[in-house]
Amino acid sequence: MGKKVKTRFAPSPTGYLHLGNARTAIFSYLFARHNNGGFILRIEDTDKERSKKEYEEMLIDDLRWLGLDWDEFYRQSERFDIYREYVNKLLESGHAYPCFCTPEELEKEREEAKKKEIPYRYSGKCRDLTPEEVEKLKREGKPFAIRFKVPENRVIAWKDLVKGSIAINTDDFGDFVIVRSDGSPTYNFVVVVDDALMGITHVIRGEDHIPNTPKQILIYEALGFNIPEFAHLPVILGEDRSKLSKRHGAVSVRAYREEGYMPEALFNYLCLLGWSPPEEGKEIFSKEELIKIFDLKDVNDSPAVFNKDKLKWMNGVYIREVLPLEVLVERAIPFLERAGYDVSDKEYVKKVLSYTRDSFETLSEMVERLRPFFVDDVEIDDEYWSFLEDMKAYDTLSLFLEKIREKKPETPEEVKKLVKEIQKTLKVKPPQVWKPLRIALTGELEGVGIDILIAVLPLEKIERRIEKVLKRLS
Ligand code: GLU
């Protein structure tokens, strides 16, 4: 029996949760849950300068919003004692050494490499200092970093679960720093200590970390840890095939959340970026279904292209057909409220949404589209007044007002019937009734179904809007 699967998501709290990282989190999560395994959230905040508590809070909040849950939670900044212990082990076993080179000296080495047009590697100058020399420099108070001793000309190879066989020669990188001169340990070192101590069986992360993996494998070996499986996910590209970045518009989960995307839709869409469902043709999946069918073997090794239109379409599907109406109402209310609409009558909101949920794809679009249902009054543009006069709107609107005062139509069908009746009585064509009604009730010539609006809007609001128009036309 194999070991229980355990994966982790390890974000650095240095900014908003990027769509690419969210996808990494989702794939790690799905892989763990698919295998009845554990999932860890680990905040990688060893870089004190760039890590911010607000970002950590937002990351956690956005991950929860997406529907992720984790079994264990860690913060690297609280684990420095553990890292120190393992640094000492590496120093004692001769796998690491103090390096007293100053930033200026290292800069010079870098420049020389540049001049010779060869990739930079640390010269190894401090590698062979004697214990006496080290003691002396320490006594003099010289600041030092700690470097890992990389064996020369060794090929480090692994079978990546997504990218296949990868082999990197250690000569491609020199002895690298594992503790900075300010005493803070670096990513490549702490990631190994944590993944090993936390029992991570599968390291799933972006392919930008491939060059780090051989360094990490060397540390696993030096500390006598088991080496986990690695799965490096291909990058996500924008439509122009360059790496997805701010240049392509919104790239944070937060931005989509604020625009009124449904977490289930974003989750679903991100899964399709690089993963092919076993059953062709199907695209809409719940989290539970994804847990059942997700496997790393179905992750493609070539980059995926982010298509915002597709995501928006999918969001529309969730709004229209997938989510229960009650859920949609709960999510819509804060958006409507923020726009200043009166949402005190939840039943009214529910009724409006039950008729209109197929007419928008995001909740921001909803706010615009449903304005006539929620505002007290509508403004009518000057250009429409002459239009109303030309259409002889006075007659149609006054007859309409008379009729709805007798009996207010309560369904779109009843509204249609009433309009037909008016049309017959006044011997006019349908647009001559619909258009004035639309302008009077919405202030626009386009928008939400006017039959729906009339069926749902309270009588007094309809009366007020039509009376206002009649007064000006008379
Ligand atoms: N903190 C690293 C990142 O955000 C984690 C990389 C890893 O998963 O090993 O890129």
Side-chain angles (χ1 to χ4, degrees), residues 8 10-12 21 42 44 187 191 195 203-205 208-209 216:
R8 67 352 180 239
S12 305
N21 285 338
R42 185 172 71 222
E44 304 216 319
Y187 159 72
V191 76
D195 283 342
V203 169
I204 300 170
R205 61 187 172 202
D208 48 324
H209 285 290
Q216 294 172 15

Side-chain angles (χ1 to χ4, degrees), residues 5 43 51 58 71 102 179 193 214 243 254 264 303 322 326 350 404 453 466 468:
V5 165
I43 302 293
S51 301
M58 275 192 287
D71 314 306
T102 62
V179 181
V193 173
K243 195 175 168 192
R254 190 53 66 121
E264 296 84 355
V322 179
E326 288 69 25
K350 191 167 166 185
I404 62 163
L453 183 65
I466 292 185
K468 197 174 110 182

Side-chain angles (χ1 to χ4, degrees), residues 151-168:
E152 263 166 58
N153 192 20
R154 220 193 101 187
V155 174
I156 308 290
W158 74 96
K159 194 149 172 25
D160 197 275
L161 294 179
V162 172
K163 305 292 269 184
S165 294
I166 301 183
I168 297 178

Side-chain angles (χ1 to χ4, degrees), residues 30 101 164 191 242 266 269 296 304 439:
L30 289 176
C101 291
V191 76
S242 69
L266 190 56
Y269 179 72
L296 283 172
I439 294 174

Side-chain angles (χ1 to χ4, degrees), residues 30-83:
L30 289 176
F31 183 74
R33 295 300 185 233
H34 176 78
N35 290 292
N36 291 318
F39 179 64
I40 288 180
L41 177 61
R42 185 172 71 222
I43 302 293
E44 304 216 319
D45 56 350
T46 56
D47 186 338
K48 289 186 208 118
E49 301 273 295
R50 294 178 58 226
S51 301
K52 296 231 158 46
K53 196 81 194 160
E54 305 92 89
Y55 286 134
E56 178 189 310
E57 280 160 15
M58 275 192 287
L59 279 171
I60 293 176
D61 194 48
D62 285 345
L63 290 168
R64 288 225 170 90
W65 175 80
L66 272 174
L68 299 188
D69 55 86
W70 40 93
D71 314 306
E72 292 167 48
F73 174 83
Y74 301 94
R75 210 176 268 122
Q76 287 186 327
S77 59
E78 291 163 1
R79 299 169 57 79
F80 277 38
D81 287 347
I82 299 173
Y83 305 140

